[in-house]
Amino acid sequence: MRQQITIIGGGLAGSEAAFQLSRRGHDVRLVEMKPGKRTPAQHSDRLAELVCSNSFRSDNPENAVGLLHEELRRMGSLVLAAADEARVPAGDALAVDRERFSERITGTIEADARINRVHEEAVALPDGPSPCIVATGPLTSDALAQAIARATDGGNGLYFYDSIAPIVTAESIDMSIAFAQSRHGKGGGDDYLNLPLNEAEYRAFVQALREGEKVKPHEFEEPKYFEGCLPIEVMAERGEETLAYGPMKPVGLSDPRTGARPYAVVQLRREDVAGTSWNLVGFQTRLTWPEQRRIFRTLPGLANAEFLRLGQIHRNTFLNGPALFGPDISLAALPHVFFAGQIAGVEGYVESCALGFVVALAVDARVRGVPFVAPPPETALGALVGHVTGTAHPEGYDYQPTNITWGLFPPLPGRVRKHEKKARQVVRAREALTAWAAANEHAAAPPPAPAATPSVETRA
């Protein structure tokens, strides 16, 4: 039973998987190419770096992602524990101070005697039979991506483009224009800042987005955007009012100076507890950096904006799981190789963490020589497994990465009133998770005693 398990990638999925396997008594070799090499989106040498938003989205269990939060907390997730400790005010959303969050996870992993963190770039898939988890995220390095393509009969891989929103300093925001308010009064009164636009200002901004210079993809790349995270200028191109009904919708807000609802708003979410930096919510973009500075400074309250980070665009690579994976999210062609996180076909921080957790259980079952029992499909964890393995999809489904949504859950039996549906789904999920955890003792195993002195390898 005792064998070393290799995990490639120290993001949310890889860190969660390493922690869970260590808790269950396994030795882990965690291979992370930082600090020797980084992807274009990475800036820190820590594990579990948050390269996009600092938000884990809604923490309300009647939202599908909020239910996923709850389930991971119940199962002893490292990522959710770190997020709760690094939490910053954000209404009913779970947003974090990204530095504190990564520091907490990095410290936990490096202090774990069963986890050997290795600083090197993985350029090939390890030979079996010892299990290997690939959790390299959406920006897998070229050499490893080619190795994965060879192992998947030419890839069966897809890709799309994902974008990062800008961050501005608090002191550069004109507080005579901005007002603090959460939609419909949720959360604290100062969780979000709002920049109101009248109709003329809104239409001028939409026109500027449409005309602004964009970063062009390479000739061999076809832009294929994730619908849940569209660049703001792509939304502007879809219709004059698309942004006003999307990230700039004024619903649930009123300008305290006028008592009226603005025509549109730019909402800013704090990046740290002290509120020294703020994220432009929904403003992920493929505008060039000079154009971002020019166009975003035309917005009310941002004339003197100081940008701590400008938006970016990057290619996300993922596998066509239903065509490639077995029920335990291992490759049918190479059963000792498992996949977790965004490369396996999910979107979002929490979803990546969830797959890291589930795949750790699958590997634990493989090593112990017992059948892997996935979380029930009625749970958020099980709904994600059903997505990446294809069991939740009808024949001919157009597979692409997704966040957790109620659409991935099996329908409730019988007739259910619309206003009761979410509450009923939550009750069903909680009952199913309780029964599954009770029948699978290793699902939430207690931390084992340290086995040896922790070590870190660095290789050129």
Side-chain angles (χ1 to χ4, degrees):
M1 175 175 163
R2 188 73 177 266
Q3 55 183 292
Q4 188 177 68
I5 298 161
T6 298
I7 298 176
I8 303 175
L12 297 178
S15 297
E16 185 70 49
F19 176 76
Q20 297 299 335
L21 286 166
S22 173
R23 298 179 75 203
R24 290 157 179 79
H26 302 292
D27 295 329
V28 177
R29 183 173 180 265
L30 179 60
V31 181
E32 168 58 54
M33 67 183 186
K34 295 191 298 186
K37 185 177 181 180
R38 296 175 180 168
T39 70
Q42 292 172 329
H43 302 282
S44 167
D45 291 335
R46 297 189 184 97
L47 299 171
E49 179 184 0
L50 303 183
V51 300
C52 190
S53 167
N54 71 324
S55 175
F56 285 62
R57 313 196 314 281
S58 175
D59 205 30
N60 183 342
E62 291 200 3
N63 184 299
V65 73
L67 178 62
L68 188 56
H69 291 178
E70 178 183 293
E71 292 181 1
L72 286 166
R73 287 188 181 105
R74 288 181 61 184
M75 295 294 101
S77 162
L78 169 64
V79 167
L80 264 292
D84 287 336
E85 289 183 20
R87 188 168 192 152
V88 299
D92 71 347
L94 174 57
V96 303
D97 180 316
R98 54 179 92 216
E99 294 298 321
R100 287 179 56 204
F101 172 79
S102 294
E103 285 174 1
R104 165 70 161 82
I105 290 181
T106 302
T108 300
I109 294 297
E110 291 187 341
D112 194 314
R114 294 186 184 274
I115 301 174
N116 177 23
R117 185 180 173 192
V118 181
H119 295 300
E120 66 177 18
E121 180 184 2
V123 296
L125 297 173
D127 295 329
S130 294
C132 168
I133 300 174
V134 179
T136 47
L139 294 177
T140 300
S141 64
D142 291 342
L144 186 59
Q146 291 169 10
I148 294 170
R150 290 191 294 271
T152 55
D153 191 24
N156 275 310
L158 309 172
Y159 64 83
F160 64 100
Y161 282 83
D162 199 5
S163 302
I164 295 173
I167 297 172
V168 297
T169 64
E171 60 187 12
S172 69
I173 301 169
D174 187 342
M175 294 301 179
S176 69
I177 295 175
F179 62 92
Q181 195 176 113
S182 296
R183 295 188 194 280
H184 304 290
K186 292 183 178 180
D190 61 350
D191 290 357
Y192 292 86
L193 291 178
N194 303 277
L195 308 176
L197 285 78
N198 59 36
E199 184 174 359
E201 290 168 333
Y202 170 77
R203 298 203 183 285
F205 178 64
V206 170
Q207 188 63 26
L209 290 175
R210 291 173 172 173
E211 295 175 353
E213 183 182 357
K214 285 85 176 177
V215 175
K216 295 180 175 60
H218 295 291
E219 291 182 0
F220 58 87
E221 296 175 324
E222 176 189 357
K224 188 173 184 179
Y225 301 109
F226 171 52
E227 288 293 320
C229 194
L230 289 171
I232 191 168
E233 64 278 359
V234 172
M235 287 186 274
E237 290 164 0
R238 289 188 171 184
E240 189 74 21
E241 300 298 317
T242 300
L243 289 174
Y245 286 89
M248 297 181 71
K249 64 179 180 290
V251 175
L253 298 169
S254 62
D255 188 336
R257 289 159 302 192
T258 65
R261 186 171 79 179
Y263 189 84
V265 297
V266 178
Q267 197 160 54
L268 307 172
R269 181 179 58 238
R270 67 176 68 222
E271 278 285 312
D272 55 13
V273 174
T276 62
S277 57
W278 294 77
N279 184 296
L280 278 66
V281 178
F283 272 47
Q284 54 276 356
T285 180
R286 63 189 178 103
L287 290 167
T288 64
W289 285 2
E291 287 290 77
Q292 288 181 51
R293 293 187 182 95
R294 180 183 68 84
I295 294 172
F296 294 156
R297 284 174 178 154
T298 66
L299 290 165
L302 295 183
N304 300 308
E306 178 185 352
F307 293 91
L308 293 174
R309 183 186 74 186
L310 288 158
Q312 294 184 38
I313 184 167
H314 54 271
R315 191 179 77 174
N316 281 7
T317 303
F318 65 96
L319 291 174
N320 184 2
L324 300 171
F325 296 152
D328 59 358
I329 320 182
S330 64
L331 276 183
L334 290 176
H336 73 284
V337 179
F338 296 74
F339 284 83
Q342 286 185 261
I343 193 171
V346 295
E347 257 299 307
Y349 296 145
V350 190
E351 291 85 345
S352 296
C353 159
L355 275 198
F357 172 81
V358 171
V359 169
L361 298 189
V363 171
D364 175 59
R366 176 76 65 83
V367 173
R368 294 191 300 116
V370 299
F372 168 62
V373 180
E378 295 82 6
T379 66
L381 288 165
L384 279 179
V385 174
H387 166 67
V388 300
T389 59
T391 58
H393 303 312
E395 187 175 349
Y397 176 80
D398 181 20
Y399 184 77
Q400 62 174 306
T402 184
N403 297 119
I404 183 70
T405 70
W406 292 118
L408 298 181
F409 292 69
L412 290 163
R415 298 185 63 182
V416 182
R417 292 185 178 91
K418 185 177 180 180
H419 70 277
E420 297 177 347
K421 188 170 291 185
K422 290 182 180 179
R424 288 273 299 274
Q425 286 176 310
V426 171
V427 170
R428 181 180 68 169
R430 287 170 175 165
E431 292 174 348
L433 189 72
T434 298
W436 170 77
N440 295 272
E441 295 180 357
H442 69 297
T453 302
S455 62
V456 178
E457 294 180 28
T458 303
R459 299 188 183 180

